[in-house]
Amino acid sequence: MEIITKNPEETKKIGRTLAKYVKPGDVILLYGALGTGKTTLIQGLAEGLEVNPDIYVTSPTFAIVNLYEGKIPILHLDLYRLESEDIEELGLWEYVSNSVIVIEWADRLSRIYWEDFLEIHMDYLNRQGRVISFVGYGEWSELLKALGKDEELALLL
Ligand SMILES: Nc1ncnc2c1ncn2[C@@H]1O[C@H](COP(=O)(O)OP(=O)(O)OP(=O)(O)O)[C@@H](O)[C@H]1O
Ligand SMILES: [Mg+2]
């Protein structure tokens, strides 16, 4: 599935819509160059999961991981600055749980620990345009079909 967004608001909307489909323990891997909108999409997800709007959702550069309390808690990681040994040490495969895990710069992972997960790839189209494509693995291949039919996204598809 592929969606083109024309501005950050539309990218947030994807995150908000995605929030209707996620459940505790879900893993979302984000790929895409600097500034393609990974964090922007996560801001929308946080809105959709009713994270307190006073909490600023931004890449956890020094903390490694940010936790936002919402209808489902969100664990937000950004692997950009981490070395591969550090990433191994995070023990990501053990982060089972009551949270949704979202990982920016997932291409830094040397292996994928999960069977059910959603990949989101973000690319530049032009200044405010982004091409966002989704690949679902395991149960996420079905969930993605439902997301693709969601009327909130219909206008963007
Ligand atoms: N269609 C769009 N979707 C998302 N962001 C957009 C879009 N058009 C413009 N932007 C702008 O691009 C920037 C995206 O920044 P964001 O922090 O979300 O990117 P990122 O992929 O998380 O980058 P980084 O790799 O540095 O963490 C923001 O300034 C946002 O306003
Ligand atoms: Mg970011």
Side-chain angles (χ1 to χ4, degrees), residues 5-8 11 32-40 59 78 104-105 127-130:
T5 64
K6 295 188 290 296
N7 52 57
T11 298
L34 284 169
T36 44
K38 301 179 292 297
T39 302
T40 304
S59 282
D78 187 318
E104 293 191 47
W105 289 97
R127 200 174 65 84
Q128 291 244 95
R130 302 289 187 270

Side-chain angles (χ1 to χ4, degrees), residues 50-67:
E50 296 171 19
V51 170
N52 181 339
D54 293 338
I55 290 172
Y56 185 56
V57 172
T58 183
S59 282
T61 33
F62 298 107
I64 297 181
V65 54
N66 285 347
L67 171 67

